[in-house]
Amino acid sequence: MAGKIEWETSMDKALSRAKAEEKHVLLDFFNPG
Amino acid sequence: MDAVTYPDEGVAKFIEDNLIPLRVAFDHKPLATDFKVKWTPTLITLDSDGVEHHRTVGFLAPDELIGSLMLGIGKSNFEREEFDKAIATFSLLLERHPKSDSTPEAIFLRGVSMYKSTHDPKPLRASYDKLTAEYPDNEWTKRAYPYRLIN
């Protein structure tokens, strides 16, 4: 369900998912405050 | 981004459908160093091998973020010489987000993608004509200037 972004926090896991799901990765460097 | 853009339903849906979202702090080691991050937010589009294809720095409103992400995906397709996918992605951006700041670059790269996939130069001229008509003062219109000579 859309409405809340479920962020990955591991590059390895994000790339593994990207390959499996044939998607790109949005990498967001943010300031957690 | 957390107050305005990421809570937007359209943004969340687009990301869910098209991307794997990965978020790390600006001082993350080694990623912040590897990607030479100097300011936040820095948003980077990667392919599934971890190669960077597009980057923005600073706030983007919801429509601008979606346009920028579509441009990033299209640039990844283009740089990996997946020209049919690139043309489809750029065309969708033009159709759905004609007012996006990302659209002029997409017009330019769509023309180049068409040329590289067919070796017919007419799409380059068409991109120049479209940019001149719709975005006369944009930097991508200036970059397409030589294509005016194509008949």
Side-chain angles (χ1 to χ4, degrees), chain B residues 91-126:
Chain B
S91 295
L92 200 60
L93 170 52
L94 271 57
E95 176 189 324
R96 294 188 179 174
H97 302 278
K99 302 297 185 187
S100 169
D101 289 342
S102 298
T103 301
E105 185 174 355
I107 293 170
F108 182 96
L109 290 175
R110 184 178 69 162
V112 177
S113 298
M114 290 175 169
Y115 170 70
K116 288 179 79 73
S117 64
T118 65
H119 303 293
D120 178 356
K122 289 187 178 64
L124 296 174
R125 173 57 190 262

PDB file of all heavy atoms in Angstrom, chain B residues 91-126:
ATOM      1  N   SER B  91       9.781   9.391 -22.871  1.00  0.00           N
ATOM      2  CA  SER B  91       8.478   9.738 -23.447  1.00  0.00           C
ATOM      3  C   SER B  91       7.409   9.822 -22.366  1.00  0.00           C
ATOM      4  O   SER B  91       6.542  10.706 -22.392  1.00  0.00           O
ATOM      5  CB  SER B  91       8.080   8.715 -24.516  1.00  0.00           C
ATOM      6  OG  SER B  91       8.968   8.756 -25.611  1.00  0.00           O
ATOM      7  N   LEU B  92       7.459   8.897 -21.411  1.00  0.00           N
ATOM      8  CA  LEU B  92       6.499   8.924 -20.308  1.00  0.00           C
ATOM      9  C   LEU B  92       6.671  10.178 -19.457  1.00  0.00           C
ATOM     10  O   LEU B  92       5.687  10.790 -19.019  1.00  0.00           O
ATOM     11  CB  LEU B  92       6.679   7.668 -19.453  1.00  0.00           C
ATOM     12  CG  LEU B  92       5.527   7.265 -18.551  1.00  0.00           C
ATOM     13  CD1 LEU B  92       4.258   6.995 -19.360  1.00  0.00           C
ATOM     14  CD2 LEU B  92       5.902   6.034 -17.729  1.00  0.00           C
ATOM     15  N   LEU B  93       7.906  10.571 -19.236  1.00  0.00           N
ATOM     16  CA  LEU B  93       8.166  11.809 -18.485  1.00  0.00           C
ATOM     17  C   LEU B  93       7.582  13.007 -19.226  1.00  0.00           C
ATOM     18  O   LEU B  93       6.918  13.865 -18.621  1.00  0.00           O
ATOM     19  CB  LEU B  93       9.674  11.964 -18.282  1.00  0.00           C
ATOM     20  CG  LEU B  93      10.192  13.297 -17.727  1.00  0.00           C
ATOM     21  CD1 LEU B  93       9.477  13.709 -16.456  1.00  0.00           C
ATOM     22  CD2 LEU B  93      11.693  13.200 -17.476  1.00  0.00           C
ATOM     23  N   LEU B  94       7.800  13.065 -20.537  1.00  0.00           N
ATOM     24  CA  LEU B  94       7.261  14.182 -21.327  1.00  0.00           C
ATOM     25  C   LEU B  94       5.738  14.221 -21.257  1.00  0.00           C
ATOM     26  O   LEU B  94       5.138  15.295 -21.169  1.00  0.00           O
ATOM     27  CB  LEU B  94       7.686  14.035 -22.792  1.00  0.00           C
ATOM     28  CG  LEU B  94       8.998  14.669 -23.206  1.00  0.00           C
ATOM     29  CD1 LEU B  94      10.178  14.172 -22.392  1.00  0.00           C
ATOM     30  CD2 LEU B  94       9.248  14.412 -24.687  1.00  0.00           C
ATOM     31  N   GLU B  95       5.136  13.039 -21.291  1.00  0.00           N
ATOM     32  CA  GLU B  95       3.673  12.949 -21.306  1.00  0.00           C
ATOM     33  C   GLU B  95       3.074  13.330 -19.953  1.00  0.00           C
ATOM     34  O   GLU B  95       2.096  14.088 -19.886  1.00  0.00           O
ATOM     35  CB  GLU B  95       3.272  11.525 -21.671  1.00  0.00           C
ATOM     36  CG  GLU B  95       1.780  11.250 -21.638  1.00  0.00           C
ATOM     37  CD  GLU B  95       1.502   9.760 -21.798  1.00  0.00           C
ATOM     38  OE1 GLU B  95       2.225   9.093 -22.540  1.00  0.00           O
ATOM     39  OE2 GLU B  95       0.566   9.274 -21.152  1.00  0.00           O
ATOM     40  N   ARG B  96       3.683  12.819 -18.889  1.00  0.00           N
ATOM     41  CA  ARG B  96       3.073  12.979 -17.560  1.00  0.00           C
ATOM     42  C   ARG B  96       3.523  14.222 -16.803  1.00  0.00           C
ATOM     43  O   ARG B  96       2.816  14.695 -15.913  1.00  0.00           O
ATOM     44  CB  ARG B  96       3.369  11.741 -16.713  1.00  0.00           C
ATOM     45  CG  ARG B  96       2.697  10.491 -17.246  1.00  0.00           C
ATOM     46  CD  ARG B  96       2.845   9.337 -16.287  1.00  0.00           C
ATOM     47  NE  ARG B  96       2.171   8.142 -16.792  1.00  0.00           N
ATOM     48  CZ  ARG B  96       2.229   6.956 -16.206  1.00  0.00           C
ATOM     49  NH1 ARG B  96       2.935   6.815 -15.087  1.00  0.00           N
ATOM     50  NH2 ARG B  96       1.597   5.929 -16.717  1.00  0.00           N
ATOM     51  N   HIS B  97       4.726  14.723 -17.119  1.00  0.00           N
ATOM     52  CA  HIS B  97       5.269  15.850 -16.366  1.00  0.00           C
ATOM     53  C   HIS B  97       5.885  16.893 -17.305  1.00  0.00           C
ATOM     54  O   HIS B  97       7.073  17.209 -17.204  1.00  0.00           O
ATOM     55  CB  HIS B  97       6.306  15.351 -15.350  1.00  0.00           C
ATOM     56  CG  HIS B  97       5.754  14.349 -14.397  1.00  0.00           C
ATOM     57  ND1 HIS B  97       5.034  14.711 -13.271  1.00  0.00           N
ATOM     58  CD2 HIS B  97       5.770  12.997 -14.415  1.00  0.00           C
ATOM     59  CE1 HIS B  97       4.653  13.622 -12.630  1.00  0.00           C
ATOM     60  NE2 HIS B  97       5.074  12.574 -13.297  1.00  0.00           N
ATOM     61  N   PRO B  98       5.068  17.440 -18.212  1.00  0.00           N
ATOM     62  CA  PRO B  98       5.630  18.369 -19.201  1.00  0.00           C
ATOM     63  C   PRO B  98       6.194  19.654 -18.584  1.00  0.00           C
ATOM     64  O   PRO B  98       7.015  20.312 -19.210  1.00  0.00           O
ATOM     65  CB  PRO B  98       4.431  18.664 -20.119  1.00  0.00           C
ATOM     66  CG  PRO B  98       3.225  18.378 -19.290  1.00  0.00           C
ATOM     67  CD  PRO B  98       3.624  17.222 -18.410  1.00  0.00           C
ATOM     68  N   LYS B  99       5.770  19.980 -17.383  1.00  0.00           N
ATOM     69  CA  LYS B  99       6.249  21.211 -16.745  1.00  0.00           C
ATOM     70  C   LYS B  99       7.444  20.968 -15.829  1.00  0.00           C
ATOM     71  O   LYS B  99       7.943  21.906 -15.194  1.00  0.00           O
ATOM     72  CB  LYS B  99       5.117  21.848 -15.933  1.00  0.00           C
ATOM     73  CG  LYS B  99       3.874  22.188 -16.742  1.00  0.00           C
ATOM     74  CD  LYS B  99       4.173  23.223 -17.809  1.00  0.00           C
ATOM     75  CE  LYS B  99       2.878  23.631 -18.525  1.00  0.00           C
ATOM     76  NZ  LYS B  99       3.188  24.526 -19.678  1.00  0.00           N
ATOM     77  N   SER B 100       7.879  19.734 -15.714  1.00  0.00           N
ATOM     78  CA  SER B 100       8.990  19.415 -14.815  1.00  0.00           C
ATOM     79  C   SER B 100      10.286  20.063 -15.297  1.00  0.00           C
ATOM     80  O   SER B 100      10.538  20.168 -16.494  1.00  0.00           O
ATOM     81  CB  SER B 100       9.176  17.903 -14.736  1.00  0.00           C
ATOM     82  OG  SER B 100      10.397  17.588 -14.086  1.00  0.00           O
ATOM     83  N   ASP B 101      11.121  20.444 -14.348  1.00  0.00           N
ATOM     84  CA  ASP B 101      12.444  20.964 -14.704  1.00  0.00           C
ATOM     85  C   ASP B 101      13.310  19.893 -15.369  1.00  0.00           C
ATOM     86  O   ASP B 101      14.315  20.221 -16.007  1.00  0.00           O
ATOM     87  CB  ASP B 101      13.165  21.467 -13.445  1.00  0.00           C
ATOM     88  CG  ASP B 101      12.550  22.747 -12.903  1.00  0.00           C
ATOM     89  OD1 ASP B 101      11.808  23.420 -13.652  1.00  0.00           O
ATOM     90  OD2 ASP B 101      12.805  23.073 -11.730  1.00  0.00           O
ATOM     91  N   SER B 102      12.937  18.631 -15.215  1.00  0.00           N
ATOM     92  CA  SER B 102      13.701  17.527 -15.808  1.00  0.00           C
ATOM     93  C   SER B 102      13.333  17.276 -17.268  1.00  0.00           C
ATOM     94  O   SER B 102      14.059  16.555 -17.975  1.00  0.00           O
ATOM     95  CB  SER B 102      13.457  16.239 -15.011  1.00  0.00           C
ATOM     96  OG  SER B 102      13.898  16.372 -13.689  1.00  0.00           O
ATOM     97  N   THR B 103      12.210  17.831 -17.711  1.00  0.00           N
ATOM     98  CA  THR B 103      11.687  17.491 -19.034  1.00  0.00           C
ATOM     99  C   THR B 103      12.587  17.933 -20.193  1.00  0.00           C
ATOM    100  O   THR B 103      12.785  17.159 -21.131  1.00  0.00           O
ATOM    101  CB  THR B 103      10.257  18.051 -19.191  1.00  0.00           C
ATOM    102  OG1 THR B 103       9.451  17.473 -18.162  1.00  0.00           O
ATOM    103  CG2 THR B 103       9.674  17.690 -20.533  1.00  0.00           C
ATOM    104  N   PRO B 104      13.160  19.140 -20.174  1.00  0.00           N
ATOM    105  CA  PRO B 104      14.016  19.509 -21.318  1.00  0.00           C
ATOM    106  C   PRO B 104      15.185  18.554 -21.532  1.00  0.00           C
ATOM    107  O   PRO B 104      15.494  18.193 -22.678  1.00  0.00           O
ATOM    108  CB  PRO B 104      14.487  20.926 -20.946  1.00  0.00           C
ATOM    109  CG  PRO B 104      13.383  21.472 -20.085  1.00  0.00           C
ATOM    110  CD  PRO B 104      12.921  20.296 -19.269  1.00  0.00           C
ATOM    111  N   GLU B 105      15.829  18.122 -20.474  1.00  0.00           N
ATOM    112  CA  GLU B 105      16.928  17.158 -20.631  1.00  0.00           C
ATOM    113  C   GLU B 105      16.403  15.842 -21.198  1.00  0.00           C
ATOM    114  O   GLU B 105      17.075  15.187 -22.008  1.00  0.00           O
ATOM    115  CB  GLU B 105      17.635  16.926 -19.292  1.00  0.00           C
ATOM    116  CG  GLU B 105      18.860  16.022 -19.422  1.00  0.00           C
ATOM    117  CD  GLU B 105      19.657  15.889 -18.130  1.00  0.00           C
ATOM    118  OE1 GLU B 105      19.314  16.580 -17.145  1.00  0.00           O
ATOM    119  OE2 GLU B 105      20.624  15.109 -18.118  1.00  0.00           O
ATOM    120  N   ALA B 106      15.197  15.455 -20.775  1.00  0.00           N
ATOM    121  CA  ALA B 106      14.596  14.222 -21.297  1.00  0.00           C
ATOM    122  C   ALA B 106      14.312  14.338 -22.793  1.00  0.00           C
ATOM    123  O   ALA B 106      14.489  13.367 -23.542  1.00  0.00           O
ATOM    124  CB  ALA B 106      13.321  13.894 -20.527  1.00  0.00           C
ATOM    125  N   ILE B 107      13.861  15.504 -23.235  1.00  0.00           N
ATOM    126  CA  ILE B 107      13.628  15.708 -24.672  1.00  0.00           C
ATOM    127  C   ILE B 107      14.940  15.553 -25.439  1.00  0.00           C
ATOM    128  O   ILE B 107      15.012  14.887 -26.478  1.00  0.00           O
ATOM    129  CB  ILE B 107      13.010  17.106 -24.922  1.00  0.00           C
ATOM    130  CG1 ILE B 107      11.603  17.176 -24.330  1.00  0.00           C
ATOM    131  CG2 ILE B 107      13.002  17.437 -26.416  1.00  0.00           C
ATOM    132  CD1 ILE B 107      11.019  18.579 -24.309  1.00  0.00           C
ATOM    133  N   PHE B 108      15.981  16.180 -24.913  1.00  0.00           N
ATOM    134  CA  PHE B 108      17.301  16.102 -25.555  1.00  0.00           C
ATOM    135  C   PHE B 108      17.767  14.652 -25.642  1.00  0.00           C
ATOM    136  O   PHE B 108      18.157  14.166 -26.716  1.00  0.00           O
ATOM    137  CB  PHE B 108      18.290  16.947 -24.747  1.00  0.00           C
ATOM    138  CG  PHE B 108      19.676  16.995 -25.309  1.00  0.00           C
ATOM    139  CD1 PHE B 108      20.074  18.046 -26.127  1.00  0.00           C
ATOM    140  CD2 PHE B 108      20.604  15.998 -25.020  1.00  0.00           C
ATOM    141  CE1 PHE B 108      21.363  18.102 -26.648  1.00  0.00           C
ATOM    142  CE2 PHE B 108      21.889  16.044 -25.541  1.00  0.00           C
ATOM    143  CZ  PHE B 108      22.272  17.094 -26.353  1.00  0.00           C
ATOM    144  N   LEU B 109      17.723  13.947 -24.504  1.00  0.00           N
ATOM    145  CA  LEU B 109      18.250  12.581 -24.472  1.00  0.00           C
ATOM    146  C   LEU B 109      17.357  11.596 -25.226  1.00  0.00           C
ATOM    147  O   LEU B 109      17.844  10.573 -25.730  1.00  0.00           O
ATOM    148  CB  LEU B 109      18.451  12.130 -23.027  1.00  0.00           C
ATOM    149  CG  LEU B 109      19.602  12.831 -22.292  1.00  0.00           C
ATOM    150  CD1 LEU B 109      19.632  12.410 -20.836  1.00  0.00           C
ATOM    151  CD2 LEU B 109      20.944  12.524 -22.958  1.00  0.00           C
ATOM    152  N   ARG B 110      16.063  11.883 -25.308  1.00  0.00           N
ATOM    153  CA  ARG B 110      15.197  11.027 -26.121  1.00  0.00           C
ATOM    154  C   ARG B 110      15.601  11.121 -27.588  1.00  0.00           C
ATOM    155  O   ARG B 110      15.666  10.106 -28.293  1.00  0.00           O
ATOM    156  CB  ARG B 110      13.720  11.417 -25.951  1.00  0.00           C
ATOM    157  CG  ARG B 110      12.785  10.479 -26.703  1.00  0.00           C
ATOM    158  CD  ARG B 110      11.340  10.810 -26.500  1.00  0.00           C
ATOM    159  NE  ARG B 110      10.960  12.075 -27.135  1.00  0.00           N
ATOM    160  CZ  ARG B 110       9.714  12.433 -27.408  1.00  0.00           C
ATOM    161  NH1 ARG B 110       8.725  11.623 -27.060  1.00  0.00           N
ATOM    162  NH2 ARG B 110       9.439  13.580 -27.980  1.00  0.00           N
ATOM    163  N   GLY B 111      15.877  12.347 -28.046  1.00  0.00           N
ATOM    164  CA  GLY B 111      16.331  12.514 -29.429  1.00  0.00           C
ATOM    165  C   GLY B 111      17.633  11.777 -29.686  1.00  0.00           C
ATOM    166  O   GLY B 111      17.802  11.118 -30.719  1.00  0.00           O
ATOM    167  N   VAL B 112      18.565  11.876 -28.743  1.00  0.00           N
ATOM    168  CA  VAL B 112      19.849  11.193 -28.911  1.00  0.00           C
ATOM    169  C   VAL B 112      19.647   9.678 -28.886  1.00  0.00           C
ATOM    170  O   VAL B 112      20.261   8.940 -29.677  1.00  0.00           O
ATOM    171  CB  VAL B 112      20.836  11.629 -27.807  1.00  0.00           C
ATOM    172  CG1 VAL B 112      22.147  10.860 -27.932  1.00  0.00           C
ATOM    173  CG2 VAL B 112      21.101  13.128 -27.878  1.00  0.00           C
ATOM    174  N   SER B 113      18.780   9.204 -27.989  1.00  0.00           N
ATOM    175  CA  SER B 113      18.502   7.761 -27.912  1.00  0.00           C
ATOM    176  C   SER B 113      17.924   7.245 -29.225  1.00  0.00           C
ATOM    177  O   SER B 113      18.280   6.158 -29.705  1.00  0.00           O
ATOM    178  CB  SER B 113      17.529   7.462 -26.766  1.00  0.00           C
ATOM    179  OG  SER B 113      18.067   7.828 -25.527  1.00  0.00           O
ATOM    180  N   MET B 114      16.990   8.025 -29.801  1.00  0.00           N
ATOM    181  CA  MET B 114      16.390   7.627 -31.080  1.00  0.00           C
ATOM    182  C   MET B 114      17.449   7.577 -32.174  1.00  0.00           C
ATOM    183  O   MET B 114      17.475   6.651 -32.995  1.00  0.00           O
ATOM    184  CB  MET B 114      15.266   8.590 -31.456  1.00  0.00           C
ATOM    185  CG  MET B 114      14.034   8.473 -30.588  1.00  0.00           C
ATOM    186  SD  MET B 114      12.816   9.763 -31.004  1.00  0.00           S
ATOM    187  CE  MET B 114      11.387   9.200 -30.088  1.00  0.00           C
ATOM    188  N   TYR B 115      18.330   8.581 -32.175  1.00  0.00           N
ATOM    189  CA  TYR B 115      19.384   8.602 -33.175  1.00  0.00           C
ATOM    190  C   TYR B 115      20.309   7.396 -33.017  1.00  0.00           C
ATOM    191  O   TYR B 115      20.662   6.716 -33.988  1.00  0.00           O
ATOM    192  CB  TYR B 115      20.200   9.896 -33.090  1.00  0.00           C
ATOM    193  CG  TYR B 115      21.441   9.841 -33.938  1.00  0.00           C
ATOM    194  CD1 TYR B 115      21.356   9.860 -35.329  1.00  0.00           C
ATOM    195  CD2 TYR B 115      22.696   9.711 -33.347  1.00  0.00           C
ATOM    196  CE1 TYR B 115      22.491   9.770 -36.117  1.00  0.00           C
ATOM    197  CE2 TYR B 115      23.831   9.621 -34.128  1.00  0.00           C
ATOM    198  CZ  TYR B 115      23.723   9.651 -35.512  1.00  0.00           C
ATOM    199  OH  TYR B 115      24.853   9.546 -36.283  1.00  0.00           O
ATOM    200  N   LYS B 116      20.704   7.115 -31.770  1.00  0.00           N
ATOM    201  CA  LYS B 116      21.659   6.032 -31.533  1.00  0.00           C
ATOM    202  C   LYS B 116      21.052   4.653 -31.823  1.00  0.00           C
ATOM    203  O   LYS B 116      21.773   3.712 -32.127  1.00  0.00           O
ATOM    204  CB  LYS B 116      22.193   6.099 -30.101  1.00  0.00           C
ATOM    205  CG  LYS B 116      23.148   7.286 -29.905  1.00  0.00           C
ATOM    206  CD  LYS B 116      23.667   7.375 -28.498  1.00  0.00           C
ATOM    207  CE  LYS B 116      24.781   6.404 -28.217  1.00  0.00           C
ATOM    208  NZ  LYS B 116      26.058   6.748 -28.845  1.00  0.00           N
ATOM    209  N   SER B 117      19.741   4.550 -31.724  1.00  0.00           N
ATOM    210  CA  SER B 117      19.118   3.250 -31.985  1.00  0.00           C
ATOM    211  C   SER B 117      18.765   3.055 -33.453  1.00  0.00           C
ATOM    212  O   SER B 117      18.559   1.914 -33.885  1.00  0.00           O
ATOM    213  CB  SER B 117      17.867   3.062 -31.120  1.00  0.00           C
ATOM    214  OG  SER B 117      16.886   4.010 -31.443  1.00  0.00           O
ATOM    215  N   THR B 118      18.705   4.154 -34.234  1.00  0.00           N
ATOM    216  CA  THR B 118      18.296   4.033 -35.642  1.00  0.00           C
ATOM    217  C   THR B 118      19.321   4.603 -36.624  1.00  0.00           C
ATOM    218  O   THR B 118      19.243   4.316 -37.817  1.00  0.00           O
ATOM    219  CB  THR B 118      16.976   4.783 -35.884  1.00  0.00           C
ATOM    220  OG1 THR B 118      17.199   6.192 -35.665  1.00  0.00           O
ATOM    221  CG2 THR B 118      15.874   4.281 -34.950  1.00  0.00           C
ATOM    222  N   HIS B 119      20.220   5.473 -36.128  1.00  0.00           N
ATOM    223  CA  HIS B 119      21.175   6.209 -36.956  1.00  0.00           C
ATOM    224  C   HIS B 119      20.478   7.175 -37.916  1.00  0.00           C
ATOM    225  O   HIS B 119      21.072   7.626 -38.894  1.00  0.00           O
ATOM    226  CB  HIS B 119      22.114   5.269 -37.721  1.00  0.00           C
ATOM    227  CG  HIS B 119      22.870   4.353 -36.815  1.00  0.00           C
ATOM    228  ND1 HIS B 119      23.822   4.786 -35.922  1.00  0.00           N
ATOM    229  CD2 HIS B 119      22.777   3.012 -36.611  1.00  0.00           C
ATOM    230  CE1 HIS B 119      24.287   3.774 -35.230  1.00  0.00           C
ATOM    231  NE2 HIS B 119      23.663   2.675 -35.619  1.00  0.00           N
ATOM    232  N   ASP B 120      19.234   7.461 -37.634  1.00  0.00           N
ATOM    233  CA  ASP B 120      18.493   8.478 -38.380  1.00  0.00           C
ATOM    234  C   ASP B 120      18.606   9.787 -37.589  1.00  0.00           C
ATOM    235  O   ASP B 120      18.182   9.846 -36.430  1.00  0.00           O
ATOM    236  CB  ASP B 120      17.019   8.057 -38.509  1.00  0.00           C
ATOM    237  CG  ASP B 120      16.183   9.094 -39.244  1.00  0.00           C
ATOM    238  OD1 ASP B 120      16.719  10.182 -39.585  1.00  0.00           O
ATOM    239  OD2 ASP B 120      14.984   8.833 -39.461  1.00  0.00           O
ATOM    240  N   PRO B 121      19.159  10.843 -38.181  1.00  0.00           N
ATOM    241  CA  PRO B 121      19.370  12.079 -37.425  1.00  0.00           C
ATOM    242  C   PRO B 121      18.113  12.931 -37.221  1.00  0.00           C
ATOM    243  O   PRO B 121      18.152  13.907 -36.461  1.00  0.00           O
ATOM    244  CB  PRO B 121      20.401  12.833 -38.266  1.00  0.00           C
ATOM    245  CG  PRO B 121      20.162  12.362 -39.656  1.00  0.00           C
ATOM    246  CD  PRO B 121      19.745  10.913 -39.536  1.00  0.00           C
ATOM    247  N   LYS B 122      17.015  12.571 -37.881  1.00  0.00           N
ATOM    248  CA  LYS B 122      15.821  13.422 -37.787  1.00  0.00           C
ATOM    249  C   LYS B 122      15.320  13.622 -36.351  1.00  0.00           C
ATOM    250  O   LYS B 122      14.849  14.722 -36.010  1.00  0.00           O
ATOM    251  CB  LYS B 122      14.702  12.855 -38.664  1.00  0.00           C
ATOM    252  CG  LYS B 122      14.964  13.016 -40.164  1.00  0.00           C
ATOM    253  CD  LYS B 122      13.760  12.587 -40.989  1.00  0.00           C
ATOM    254  CE  LYS B 122      14.000  12.790 -42.469  1.00  0.00           C
ATOM    255  NZ  LYS B 122      15.094  11.942 -42.993  1.00  0.00           N
ATOM    256  N   PRO B 123      15.393  12.614 -35.478  1.00  0.00           N
ATOM    257  CA  PRO B 123      14.955  12.860 -34.095  1.00  0.00           C
ATOM    258  C   PRO B 123      15.778  13.926 -33.367  1.00  0.00           C
ATOM    259  O   PRO B 123      15.264  14.575 -32.447  1.00  0.00           O
ATOM    260  CB  PRO B 123      15.115  11.489 -33.426  1.00  0.00           C
ATOM    261  CG  PRO B 123      14.972  10.508 -34.540  1.00  0.00           C
ATOM    262  CD  PRO B 123      15.622  11.177 -35.713  1.00  0.00           C
ATOM    263  N   LEU B 124      17.025  14.108 -33.787  1.00  0.00           N
ATOM    264  CA  LEU B 124      17.825  15.175 -33.177  1.00  0.00           C
ATOM    265  C   LEU B 124      17.247  16.530 -33.555  1.00  0.00           C
ATOM    266  O   LEU B 124      17.106  17.422 -32.704  1.00  0.00           O
ATOM    267  CB  LEU B 124      19.285  15.072 -33.631  1.00  0.00           C
ATOM    268  CG  LEU B 124      20.037  13.807 -33.213  1.00  0.00           C
ATOM    269  CD1 LEU B 124      21.421  13.778 -33.866  1.00  0.00           C
ATOM    270  CD2 LEU B 124      20.167  13.740 -31.697  1.00  0.00           C
ATOM    271  N   ARG B 125      16.895  16.690 -34.816  1.00  0.00           N
ATOM    272  CA  ARG B 125      16.280  17.933 -35.265  1.00  0.00           C
ATOM    273  C   ARG B 125      14.926  18.130 -34.580  1.00  0.00           C
ATOM    274  O   ARG B 125      14.577  19.248 -34.169  1.00  0.00           O
ATOM    275  CB  ARG B 125      16.107  17.923 -36.787  1.00  0.00           C
ATOM    276  CG  ARG B 125      15.311  19.111 -37.351  1.00  0.00           C
ATOM    277  CD  ARG B 125      15.947  20.458 -36.967  1.00  0.00           C
ATOM    278  NE  ARG B 125      15.090  21.571 -37.301  1.00  0.00           N
ATOM    279  CZ  ARG B 125      15.230  22.306 -38.407  1.00  0.00           C
ATOM    280  NH1 ARG B 125      16.206  22.032 -39.270  1.00  0.00           N
ATOM    281  NH2 ARG B 125      14.419  23.304 -38.651  1.00  0.00           N
ATOM    282  N   ALA B 126      14.175  17.044 -34.445  1.00  0.00           N
ATOM    283  CA  ALA B 126      12.863  17.144 -33.788  1.00  0.00           C
ATOM    284  C   ALA B 126      13.016  17.574 -32.327  1.00  0.00           C
ATOM    285  O   ALA B 126      12.194  18.347 -31.808  1.00  0.00           O
ATOM    286  CB  ALA B 126      12.132  15.801 -33.877  1.00  0.00           C
TER     287      ALA B 126
END
